[in-house]
Amino acid sequence: MSAATIVWFRQDLRLPDNPAFAEALRLRKAILPLYIHAPDEEGAWPPGGAASWWLHHALKDLQAALSEVGLPLVLREGTSLAVLRELIDESGADTVFWNRRYEPSVTKRDADIKEDLRKEGLTVRSFNGSLLYEPWTVRSGAGRSYRVYTPFSKAVAGLDFGTPEPTPSIPPVVLPQTPRSLDLADLRLLPAISWDKGFYDAWTPTRHAGLLRLERFLSAGVQSYHTDRDLPAEDGTSRLSPYLHFGQIGPREAASRCLRGNPGKGRDTFYKELLWREFGYHVLYHHPETPTEPLQDAYRAFPWRTDEAQLRAWQKGWTGYPIVDAGMRQLWQTGWMHNRVRMVVASFLVKHLLLPWQAGARWFWDTLVDADLASNTLGWQWAGGCGADAAPYFRIFNPMTQGAKFDPEGNYVRRFVPELAKLPAAHIHTPWEAPADVLRPAGVDLGENYPRPLIDHKEARARALDALARLKD
Ligand SMILES: Cc1cc2nc3c(=O)[nH]c(=O)nc-3n(C[C@H](O)[C@H](O)[C@H](O)COP(=O)(O)OP(=O)(O)OC[C@H]3O[C@@H](n4cnc5c(N)ncnc54)[C@H](O)[C@@H]3O)c2cc1C
């Protein structure tokens, strides 16, 4: 049996700009592409329902791309090390390549696997296919990692992230016999009860669709991105997050295409957002406890409340604050939520309801197609006031003014909260203040077909500030 290279695909579900795959081609040995479904190895964060939906389609797309170059994608499930060993036996592989991941339980697993397989005489190499700047390559002058975004972004500004590499034009060598593979359906990634109809309307989860989205965005939308990115009713952001999370598009591909265009405020802002993603990975890598523990120690003693009914109301988009409810329903229906609204709903959970940010992070984890441990942790710790570069705790978003400023016509609310669709813009963010002769013709029956606010804004604000004062004491 001739030697072969296993390319272990993980969150790098593409062929171009895939360093592990490119290096395998250059070896000119038979290539065995492999995906192992091992949710138990993701610690407390196995992919949630929405992300699993995306993963199913991304794997199908990868299978198609591989089959175009004559390669199969072997799908297996089980313990990664055991599966790799099985395949090494079955194929005679002497080399294993993968692109690195950075989540705490995965980095540990990968380090162990690398050590074990090397001891067994295999050549094992890992590559960077998922970040512009790997977390250990960015250090302050004092040799420390960064906890604040601006100095981090300045530190990476002068660093070269290289150029995306197209797939080398070397015809892949195929194993004479393909090892057995599970069917994609055997991984059970799609929901058993079909709650995913809205996902199909909202997304085409293929690399081709992601690239089209990127090109269209960079040739038109990006010019006004710095202003439109805050308007949830507009299609003003790239919506690339799930493609980036699953590696259907690499960050080098997105960043280099962005920097290639004419400079401008929109382009600069978009590039800075790509660096927020990098910053999230930097913080997660250097502070692996942060998915569940506050980065700022003082917040461990924060007096969080427990209230299942209110948590449920928030999850279901039934808080009585239209912008919050629209966001939570957009999330449920489409698996994605606009960034401005993510900030509003997160602030509402943490500050208005005093429910722990970890509960919000967990719900997002299960419902976002782009659920990403680094970005989600960063976002939730920011909202909780306890993370890297966090929003100061006393900054409490006012859902009415956020709504009026960023959804002035109420079109975002109308789209996702249809029971309020007929309200005039003047009342759409404050239906409880609307007179009966406005509510009635609009078909709004408060407390019946749309809830009254779960808590009064002023009261909530005072309670949150009081909780903070108690923490300081
Ligand atoms: C509470 C909260 C939770 C979040 N959870 C996630 C998550 O699980 N997964 C996720 O990808 N993003 C998360 N974000 C960040 C951000 O909301 C999304 O990345 C963004 O809305 C995705 O839409 P887009 O691709 O159109 O973004 P664009 O505005 O087009 O930005 C381009 C890319 O930059 C990156 N980016 C933009 N903003 C951020 C940010 N604040 N932090 C990190 N990266 C960013 C993303 O990769 C994004 O695709 C969260 C934000 C908050 C406030």
Side-chain angles (χ1 to χ4, degrees):
M1 215 183 291
S2 65
T5 305
I6 294 176
V7 179
W8 180 15
F9 284 90
R10 298 119 61 86
Q11 276 174 10
D12 51 346
L13 306 179
R14 66 182 184 278
L15 299 188
D17 192 35
N18 183 323
F21 185 65
E23 195 56 24
L25 283 171
R26 279 193 282 268
L27 289 185
R28 293 175 195 268
K29 294 194 286 196
I31 294 184
L32 180 50
L34 169 69
Y35 182 84
I36 307 172
H37 184 50
D40 296 350
E41 294 175 9
E42 307 273 336
W45 304 95
S52 296
W53 178 88
W54 193 287
L55 177 61
H56 174 97
H57 295 287
L59 287 172
K60 192 169 166 190
D61 191 40
L62 179 69
Q63 261 176 340
L66 282 165
S67 119
E68 270 179 32
V69 295
L71 287 170
L73 175 64
V74 172
L75 301 172
R76 294 262 170 114
E77 59 184 345
T79 309
S80 295
L81 181 59
V83 170
L84 283 164
R85 281 192 177 129
E86 263 166 39
L87 271 178
I88 290 163
D89 281 352
E90 290 170 32
S91 66
D94 60 356
T95 304
V96 181
F97 287 169
W98 67 74
N99 292 310
R100 286 184 282 277
R101 290 182 51 188
Y102 308 89
E103 298 83 350
S105 52
V106 178
T107 46
K108 159 115 188 43
R109 175 199 68 184
D110 289 352
D112 291 347
I113 291 179
K114 202 183 255 183
E115 195 184 324
D116 285 351
L117 293 183
R118 278 184 177 163
K119 272 192 204 144
E120 289 162 29
L122 277 101
T123 301
V124 185
R125 285 181 63 197
S126 64
F127 301 82
N128 171 20
S130 302
L131 291 178
L132 300 176
Y133 308 104
E134 291 189 291
W136 52 87
T137 63
V138 187
R139 290 277 176 190
S140 73
R144 295 206 190 92
S145 62
Y146 288 94
R147 287 166 70 127
V148 180
Y149 171 79
T150 304
F152 170 85
S153 68
K154 284 188 180 150
V156 298
L159 301 178
D160 182 14
F161 57 78
T163 42
E165 188 190 9
T167 322
S169 52
I170 303 169
V173 180
V174 184
L175 275 174
Q177 266 195 328
T178 303
R180 100 191 134 72
S181 169
L182 294 171
D183 284 339
L184 186 51
D186 296 335
L187 304 186
R188 300 170 304 280
L189 295 168
L190 293 180
I193 306 162
S194 65
W195 45 256
D196 52 349
K197 187 188 165 300
F199 288 20
Y200 289 97
D201 297 338
W203 301 101
T204 307
T206 61
R207 170 170 164 84
H208 178 68
L211 284 176
L212 271 182
R213 177 95 214 159
L214 175 64
E215 292 310 335
R216 276 201 207 120
F217 175 74
L218 288 178
S219 60
V222 77
Q223 274 88 344
S224 50
Y225 173 75
H226 55 297
T227 50
D228 292 356
R229 65 186 286 268
D230 270 323
L231 307 175
E234 307 295 324
D235 188 13
T237 69
S238 72
R239 298 195 190 213
L240 285 176
S241 47
Y243 301 98
L244 285 166
H245 171 74
F246 287 100
Q248 289 170 295
I249 294 181
R252 274 189 295 259
E253 294 182 302
S256 62
R257 278 171 159 89
C258 166
L259 295 176
R260 217 184 292 148
N262 295 329
K265 259 193 167 173
R267 218 166 265 274
D268 290 352
T269 311
F270 182 62
Y271 184 63
K272 282 184 190 148
E273 293 308 313
L274 293 175
L275 292 186
W276 272 103
R277 178 176 177 274
E278 300 288 317
F279 181 56
Y281 276 95
H282 184 83
V283 176
L284 177 65
Y285 181 82
H286 291 291
H287 302 279
E289 74 290 357
T290 52
T292 50
E293 300 296 328
L295 181 69
Q296 297 179 34
D297 266 348
Y299 279 84
R300 283 174 202 271
F302 195 84
W304 298 113
R305 295 170 57 244
T306 310
D307 188 326
E308 275 303 317
Q310 288 196 348
L311 178 62
R312 196 94 195 116
W314 176 81
Q315 290 170 339
K316 292 292 164 206
W318 200 248
T319 68
Y321 284 94
I323 190 83
V324 174
D325 293 339
M328 297 308 292
R329 296 187 200 185
Q330 180 179 34
L331 175 62
W332 185 252
Q333 284 167 32
T334 70
W336 183 88
M337 193 196 302
H338 189 278
N339 180 61
R340 165 61 49 185
V341 192
R342 290 189 203 204
M343 295 194 287
V344 173
V345 304
S347 171
F348 185 84
L349 181 81
V350 171
K351 297 185 181 166
H352 281 70
L353 301 183
L354 284 189
L355 295 176
W357 60 268
Q358 292 93 332
R362 181 57 70 183
W363 182 252
F364 269 34
W365 186 258
D366 287 338
T367 50
L368 277 171
V369 288
D370 66 19
D372 179 284
L373 198 58
S375 300
N376 200 39
T377 302
L378 188 75
W380 277 100
Q381 292 236 8
W382 177 87
C386 55
D389 222 348
Y393 197 86
F394 55 79
R395 186 169 168 217
I396 295 170
F397 276 26
N398 175 327
M400 291 81 78
T401 49
Q402 289 286 313
K405 188 166 174 199
F406 298 114
D407 185 31
E409 301 304 321
N411 290 336
Y412 178 71
V413 166
R414 284 194 185 87
R415 194 177 312 150
F416 290 103
V417 190
E419 56 270 41
L420 301 181
K422 292 197 180 124
L423 275 183
H427 295 289
I428 196 141
H429 294 292
T430 48
W432 62 92
E433 287 177 358
D437 63 352
V438 169
L439 291 174
R440 210 174 308 112
V444 180
D445 189 356
L446 286 180
E448 289 299 321
N449 65 356
Y450 187 72
R452 294 182 191 282
L454 216 50
I455 184 163
D456 171 69
H457 171 68
K458 273 194 188 145
E459 199 185 302
R461 188 183 148 75
R463 186 175 68 171
L465 292 176
D466 180 53
L468 181 67
R470 275 192 282 144
L471 180 71
K472 281 187 175 160
D473 287 348

